[in-house]
Amino acid sequence: MVGYQFMGKTHSHAYRDLPFFFDTDAKPIMKAISGRDEAAVKAAAEDMGWASYETDWRTLIARDDIDVIDIVTPNHTHAEIAIAAAEAGKHIITEKPLALTLEEARRMYEAVKKANVVHMVSHNYRFAPAVQYAKQLIAAGRLGKIYHVRANYLQDFIMDPDFPLVWRLKKEAAGSGALGDIGAHSIDLIRFLVGDIQEVVGMMETFIKERPLGEMSGGLNAQSDGEQTGEVTVDDAAAFLARFENGALGTFEATRFAAGNRNKNKFEINGEKGSLRWDLENMNNLEVYLADDELGLQGFRTINCTEEQHPYAGAYWPPGHIIGYEHTFIHLIYELMNGITNGTQPKPDFEEGVKNQAVLEAVQQSQTTKQWVKVDHVGGG
Amino acid sequence: MVGYQFMGKTHSHAYRDLPFFFDTDAKPIMKAISGRDEAAVKAAAEDMGWASYETDWRTLIARDDIDVIDIVTPNHTHAEIAIAAAEAGKHIITEKPLALTLEEARRMYEAVKKANVVHMVSHNYRFAPAVQYAKQLIAAGRLGKIYHVRANYLQDFIMDPDFPLVWRLKKEAAGSGALGDIGAHSIDLIRFLVGDIQEVVGMMETFIKERPLGEMSGGLNAQSDGEQTGEVTVDDAAAFLARFENGALGTFEATRFAAGNRNKNKFEINGEKGSLRWDLENMNNLEVYLADDELGLQGFRTINCTEEQHPYAGAYWPPGHIIGYEHTFIHLIYELMNGITNGTQPKPDFEEGVKNQAVLEAVQQSQTTKQWVKVDHVGGG
Amino acid sequence: MVGYQFMGKTHSHAYRDLPFFFDTDAKPIMKAISGRDEAAVKAAAEDMGWASYETDWRTLIARDDIDVIDIVTPNHTHAEIAIAAAEAGKHIITEKPLALTLEEARRMYEAVKKANVVHMVSHNYRFAPAVQYAKQLIAAGRLGKIYHVRANYLQDFIMDPDFPLVWRLKKEAAGSGALGDIGAHSIDLIRFLVGDIQEVVGMMETFIKERPLGEMSGGLNAQSDGEQTGEVTVDDAAAFLARFENGALGTFEATRFAAGNRNKNKFEINGEKGSLRWDLENMNNLEVYLADDELGLQGFRTINCTEEQHPYAGAYWPPGHIIGYEHTFIHLIYELMNGITNGTQPKPDFEEGVKNQAVLEAVQQSQTTKQWVKVDHVGGG
Amino acid sequence: MVGYQFMGKTHSHAYRDLPFFFDTDAKPIMKAISGRDEAAVKAAAEDMGWASYETDWRTLIARDDIDVIDIVTPNHTHAEIAIAAAEAGKHIITEKPLALTLEEARRMYEAVKKANVVHMVSHNYRFAPAVQYAKQLIAAGRLGKIYHVRANYLQDFIMDPDFPLVWRLKKEAAGSGALGDIGAHSIDLIRFLVGDIQEVVGMMETFIKERPLGEMSGGLNAQSDGEQTGEVTVDDAAAFLARFENGALGTFEATRFAAGNRNKNKFEINGEKGSLRWDLENMNNLEVYLADDELGLQGFRTINCTEEQHPYAGAYWPPGHIIGYEHTFIHLIYELMNGITNGTQPKPDFEEGVKNQAVLEAVQQSQTTKQWVKVDHVGGG
């Protein structure tokens, strides 16, 4: 694994906990982790259960005893590491968004295709049982033709103007702000559930344009360390309208300035025959409306998706005993392991990552042109 | 109408507003109101739209142009007025609880039976569309055999120790406290929905035993007016267990000391084939669980009972446009008017009031004996 | 009053019920109603309590005993009637949207200014106690600078392809579809709470393009009456992004194709210091998040706006006893009466109606141009 | 560990996952598991990560390399195993309820006191961050004097009459039914939060008295395997009223017949200055009402207890990223490990188990006597 911050922890835990709940032929063995700061990476390896560590990811990739490279570093490093890993014949999973730009993303996809390795992008929220069950309902036609999607990913962790200028707030490291960090999750969820987006028009805004310098590597609790400030070069918030290839209309919003919403990743989908609502903060629940319910008894049902009918849920506890955020990563890694064992390519893979990136890029372009942008026209597509 | 406080207002509004929404052969004509304080009753008549007023209810009852007597005075006066009204051949509706004691209640019921007039007790919550719809579902067997009932009526308006000693806090005027005032509503709702109670065991408590003297007649915003205090002689809170004749188990609780619950009159009913949940503070909604829903799709549905399938709702606005507390009284008076027109006896009538009173009395008795009490054994029944 | 369909009923009830709950110097007297179909208008007058009727609105306006004209007819008739009423010196209240076009709206506003009469547009949802309380919180700075608004008005009453081609689905009578009918309500609510919109970009869609002919005047339960079909010439759904003059970002959506949402008029507002959420289907509740709440105790509060601190609520029942949809009209008419008595101009007036119409027109224009449109540039403004 | 069914899995996972999230001086080492069926116990050891297995718990206890005995077997075996383990000087954690009877529980407590070992009862729900935070609020006086408690533990997994006669439905193996299995959890939660219970009166009921024989060891998905039936000798449901030593009133209910409630372990606590509400099915949320909130802004706050102010939550993910059921066991084992390291006795220990058992026994006794029973009078106490 390359990197060891927040996402390093979620992925490490998933490798460690997977075998307890799921049987896979390929069992993850936590061989090695890499990072540039030796003291820190050594401590991380110990804390998270990695057998060894490297201070250069190139060394890690060169090791024969490594089959899978898991990339949890900042966004601007994904492409270089992933392409090198592909060339070394390693299977790859990388954090989202896939890349800084659509062009980079395409190069990464070319590399893994050429290398014929298994590749995934870590859009973990797809793997909540409630979301997988939503997918089954839609695929079975229970909603009929889809008319509407509204997807919001609302956070509030950088609302304090004293929150420092971490790497996620610099364009050169992050690509974009709320859009690429959390909006990319919404896009993945909705593409998974509803299908491809044809065109978009969006707006992006940076509410706080200067912030104190601080730990650039810092996580959500980063502290500023001085009086110097620097420019925020990504969006604090983004919103866009979308028209889907199947005729549905979508509204998307991603923001880090929605007070009181710690991690409100939610969506609503309205179809001809029914509707769905989901919210990560109560992620075990799915609300379902079925238009063919008896008159008088029509209403949204709140389903606690902890029953054996709900994908992955059967591996855990009896109905009504909920699981949490970290389990979405267990399911993601489960699919990765299955892909490696069976020689199949699980989703979401780099191709999905490219399509996601194309939407991100179209939104950014529309912010500049103030016009609708066709997704398949961006990036010289 | 005799009396003109809080309940005077709800009833007056119902008479006034009924013809706008419902067609009845007998139209209410708001002839006269009575009260002892001439200035106050005159003002009340004007404010609430009564054509005349009396300062003695006996005069009111004696008037030939009055067909219906509506009693909204404190509990200890219900019996005398109702019996006199019955003897004068007037139809009667009275506020709940029917009487101070079971013995009084029975005498009242005897009087109306003998006089052959229409009689009702103002248990208005039965008439929320969601509750009526719940009744339909149960009657149609949609819940199967009922196993459990839990009914809470939670308020918090007298938690302040400086809230004065109003009539509702004196046994001689109110009979009991939370038990008879709001617990009686829960008992009525659940008897309506589930059936008769066989035996009970309960506890009652007065948390604040002395209160400042104040406006005895005072309503919810009554002010204390001095330094003198008096004894609270009714319960602040009561709870009881119940076994129903059909085998169901019930837990009931009524309290004026549940901080944050302004008027939380709620119940849950669990049956063999499904469950219901209702809460007055969002009284248009009924939550329904049906055990024969498809596996995976099982969960409580939140139904906004504003559709034409929901009793009374069709008289108002399109679906999703809610009604409020006052409308329950409109439906109550609607049934009263229909009863008078058609010569039928609407429910809840004095017989229901007697049965309700028997439960109240059994709970009070069990508080003394610390034992289970059979409801049909109380009061020399 | 001119017209007697759905909105005729809400307004009539408000005139009738207002004096019971509120004191106003000017008391509404329900003199006369007009409509072209004599039998129908006569019946409506009787049902709703109007003393007389006319079959030509011009006659109504000409009557000396009429001080106020209330226009509840289809949208395309508002301008002609309102201008005539203004010229006759009558005070005017009209249903929303104010007009078919911005140009019409402006002419109407000129007419009432010139005539120096009191004028209002019936954006009743402003007058829910929870919304008024939200306004107070924002005005008091409790949310700080506003960053985000998301407003959805979701309905589902025309999803059935057999629902007939009523006047609301024809551009010449309605101006637009979901946008002008319900989106206009969201725009009014948000303009009231957050301020003016600078520019918008939107999309509109008609999912079902042909419908059976039926009762053109038909309401929500209209029936089709044959095999002939006609073209739907308004939008079934509309969504738009907005930038506000104060820097806030907004997403709006109005649709009649959101299955399971009977009348979900909801908004969320996120500011620097807090957030608000409201939903018409549980309109007595306001959810409030305050960022300066103690750490650990931060979360959205669900406030049942039935206390005396909540505007208008004190006129009704004790806390926890909810009011409904119809009460918003009582408050609207209350403000109208106060305006007439005091010679002040209550909001929302025709000026607000013009501004609302400008947003509607800008959204429609952006649908054509596929670009952002500045609101103050539309209509030759 | 002795036993390897449902609770064996929760405990095993906790030992395994603890070190990833928490630092403890004593690290759990998963040495050995025991069970009578060699094939099954061998498979369980492998699946759950135990280094070895035994087919006799006596052998396990005799092993020198074992420091802690974890008892997850049916209730009737707890006493014998625990006493033997204590005599062998092992630290002990046992599933709840502590024992079949109060007398047994007391002997167990004597044994561990005499042996001077660390002892705990696995009341895991205490360790949900929201519950621990509730405890902090109460301990800090934020609720003031407690007036009311209502605790329900509602399940529905045995409602099907074909669900077989597993050990949990036989008195000789389980002691009691819903009362001891889930009611014991409610009692522990409320004793933890509110204090000791003085007296109780209760009722118990077995709705389905005969069931098909099947896998006696069976878990929640047990199948019946024939046409023979046997008698259910425990309660399907139990409810009781309680008076607390501090004057609070409580209502408790435990049932396996509440359709639609998979695992609804919920409580409400009302105090002088505020109220709390919690529900296991959305266990990360705590609802808090504070009576000293500003007038107009009073309401229940929904707090997602995933912030660093919420006990244990800081060890996991950023705010808004929830944890699940299994994490309550991690926290329980964390406290066990800390107790062993520091030589302190964590709660809930066997003393708490004895007190819990006394309440269970008092409820059972009151079912027989149909009277209130003082908790400290039961069992010859």
Side-chain angles (χ1 to χ4, degrees), chain C residues 15-63:
Chain C
Y15 291 115
R16 178 189 175 98
D17 217 21
L18 172 65
F20 190 84
F21 292 114
F22 293 90
D23 281 330
T24 49
D25 285 333
K27 304 272 180 209
I29 304 172
M30 296 170 71
K31 286 278 184 183
I33 188 175
S34 93
R36 283 171 301 181
D37 175 337
E38 181 162 359
V41 73
K42 185 176 173 188
E46 230 160 84
D47 284 354
M48 303 197 290
W50 294 90
S52 63
Y53 66 88
E54 303 289 348
T55 55
D56 186 337
W57 58 263
R58 289 170 194 83
T59 323
L60 189 76
I61 286 176
R63 280 173 58 167

Side-chain angles (χ1 to χ4, degrees), chain B residues 145-150 152 154 156 159 199 201-205 207-208 236-243 247-262 264 266 268 270-275 277 289 291 295 298-300 366-367 369-372 374, chain D residues 145-150 152 154 156 159 199 201-205 207-208 236-243 247-262 264 266 268 270-275 277 289 291 295 298-300 366-367 369-372 374:
Chain B
K145 178 176 163 52
I146 305 297
Y147 291 127
H148 287 289
V149 167
R150 57 200 73 80
N152 300 325
L154 311 179
D156 65 357
M159 288 186 69
E199 54 178 344
V201 64
M203 62 181 169
M204 299 165 76
E205 186 61 66
F207 295 116
I208 294 180
D236 287 336
F240 62 98
L241 305 178
R243 285 182 178 271
L249 307 184
T251 61
F252 289 78
E253 191 174 343
T255 178
R256 293 159 170 167
F257 274 71
N261 295 281
R262 298 300 190 248
K264 186 148 300 267
K266 61 184 283 199
E268 299 179 8
N270 307 126
E272 194 184 2
K273 299 182 185 169
S275 291
R277 300 194 293 222
Y289 173 86
L295 291 177
Q298 298 192 339
F300 278 87
S366 83
Q367 158 74 0
T369 62
K370 303 205 77 173
Q371 295 187 334
W372 283 82
K374 290 212 185 297
Chain D
K145 179 176 162 51
I146 304 298
Y147 291 127
H148 287 290
V149 167
R150 56 201 75 80
N152 301 325
L154 311 179
D156 65 357
M159 289 185 68
E199 54 178 345
V201 64
M203 62 181 168
M204 300 164 77
E205 186 62 66
F207 295 115
I208 294 181
D236 287 336
F240 62 98
L241 306 179
R243 285 183 178 270
L249 308 183
T251 61
F252 289 78
E253 190 174 345
T255 178
R256 294 160 170 165
F257 275 71
N261 296 281
R262 297 299 190 248
K264 186 146 302 265
K266 61 184 284 198
E268 299 179 8
N270 307 126
E272 194 183 2
K273 299 182 186 169
S275 292
R277 300 196 292 223
Y289 173 84
L295 290 176
Q298 298 192 338
F300 279 87
S366 83
Q367 158 76 359
T369 63
K370 303 205 78 175
Q371 294 188 335
W372 283 82
K374 289 212 184 299

Side-chain angles (χ1 to χ4, degrees), chain B residues 77-143:
Chain B
T77 62
H78 294 180
E80 185 182 7
I81 303 172
I83 292 170
E87 287 169 354
K90 310 298 189 192
H91 305 299
I92 306 171
I93 179 164
T94 181
E95 258 307 311
K96 40 50 54 181
L98 183 52
L100 274 198
T101 63
L102 178 57
E103 181 276 333
E104 254 188 29
R106 283 178 178 149
R107 278 196 293 122
M108 292 165 77
Y109 180 41
E110 289 310 311
V112 293
K113 272 198 297 192
K114 190 169 159 198
N116 201 23
V117 295
V118 171
H119 46 98
M120 287 190 86
V121 186
S122 177
H123 282 296
N124 58 300
Y125 296 124
R126 280 198 189 198
F127 297 101
V131 173
Q132 289 283 324
Y133 190 62
K135 172 73 176 177
Q136 287 187 0
L137 292 173
I138 293 172
R142 299 298 289 263
L143 263 61

Side-chain angles (χ1 to χ4, degrees), chain A residues 22 123-136 188-189 192-193 265 267 278-286 304-307 309-314 316 323-332 335 348, chain D residues 322:
Chain A
F22 293 90
H123 282 298
N124 57 298
Y125 295 124
R126 278 197 189 198
F127 296 101
V131 173
Q132 289 283 323
Y133 190 62
K135 173 71 176 178
Q136 287 186 359
D188 183 71
L189 278 170
F192 173 57
L193 293 169
N265 175 3
F267 61 75
W278 183 75
D279 168 7
L280 177 63
E281 287 183 14
N282 295 298
M283 60 173 263
N284 292 268
N285 291 347
L286 182 69
N304 203 241
C305 292
T306 52
E307 324 225 344
Q309 288 77 22
H310 306 122
Y312 304 115
Y316 297 98
I323 60 169
Y325 165 70
E326 71 204 39
H327 299 82
T328 57
F329 289 95
I330 297 179
H331 309 157
L332 170 76
E335 298 302 338
Chain D
I322 68 171

